[in-house]
Amino acid sequence: MRTSLIAAVSCAALLTVAAAPAFALTPVASGSGAAVAVSDSITDEELRSFATAMEAIEPIAAAISGGAPTAEQQAAMAAAIEASGLALDRFNTISTAVSTDPVVRARVALATTQPSPAGSPAAAVTDAEVEQFAVAMAAVQPIAQSLNGAAPTADQQAEMAAAISGSGLALERFNAISAAVSGDAHLRARLAVADARRAG
């Protein structure tokens, strides 16, 4: 069992590093008073458009020295946003959601990550398994982090095995998903969304 749980420890370390938000954004222009959109009302297409707009306006925003943007900079940012296919008000609504809602932040990363290659082990992981794996990892991570690189004791191994079984995943399937996670950014992004939803 010790060898099979090494994957849990390695994956816990990987997911801790990957948990940092991909974006730390603030709205570019003031909103029209629209309420922050609920995560599920923002489509993946809108999130991809938002990411495209952000990529275009970041250099403009970086050139703003301290104060408010000039009229020319505002026009350039507005043009970049509209070129992405988003209306300015919708961009600001999404921007506010990204800055305040971890689920939306995680969904931006997911929407902008290349899908897992067809036929790969990562592509074969179902949404239900992603949820189960996230639950198992939430229980396993504190144990793995407490090890500081040391091998788990028999009690720790048993505790991790029980957490994995309690999630509904067989240990072998958990290890297969752990191996897939380490090499697939899209699967890591799917897990980040599941973690954000579970934490919310």
Side-chain angles (χ1 to χ4, degrees):
M1 183 192 296
R2 177 177 159 185
T3 304
S4 60
L5 287 175
I6 294 300
V9 175
S10 299
C11 195
L14 176 67
L15 290 178
T16 300
V17 171
F23 287 89
L25 308 173
T26 55
V28 173
S30 59
S32 62
V36 174
V38 176
S39 172
D40 291 338
S41 73
I42 300 172
T43 67
D44 288 345
E45 183 178 340
E46 287 178 316
L47 293 175
R48 283 188 286 274
S49 295
F50 175 81
T52 298
M54 283 304 301
E55 192 174 320
I57 67 173
E58 280 175 347
I60 303 165
I64 298 169
S65 55
T70 65
E72 183 178 286
Q73 289 167 325
Q74 287 179 342
M77 288 189 286
I81 291 165
E82 289 170 4
S84 76
L86 290 174
L88 190 57
D89 285 347
R90 187 60 175 165
F91 173 87
N92 284 330
T93 298
I94 296 170
S95 183
T96 300
V98 166
S99 65
T100 59
D101 187 338
V103 173
V104 178
R105 247 188 327 273
R107 286 185 60 220
V108 169
L110 177 60
T112 57
T113 303
Q114 287 293 327
S116 304
S120 69
V125 178
T126 67
D127 290 341
E129 287 176 327
V130 166
E131 296 294 330
Q132 292 170 318
F133 187 84
V135 168
M137 284 307 301
V140 166
Q141 272 182 327
I143 303 165
Q145 288 171 348
S146 73
L147 296 175
N148 275 342
T153 66
D155 286 345
Q156 289 167 326
Q157 290 176 35
E159 193 177 345
M160 288 190 285
I164 292 164
S165 294
S167 74
L169 284 175
L171 187 58
E172 295 75 20
R173 185 59 181 152
F174 175 87
N175 286 332
I177 295 170
S178 290
V181 164
S182 66
D184 191 278
H186 191 72
L187 181 54
R188 285 194 299 276
R190 289 173 66 197
L191 286 167
V193 171
D195 281 337
R197 286 192 167 130
R198 195 177 41 75

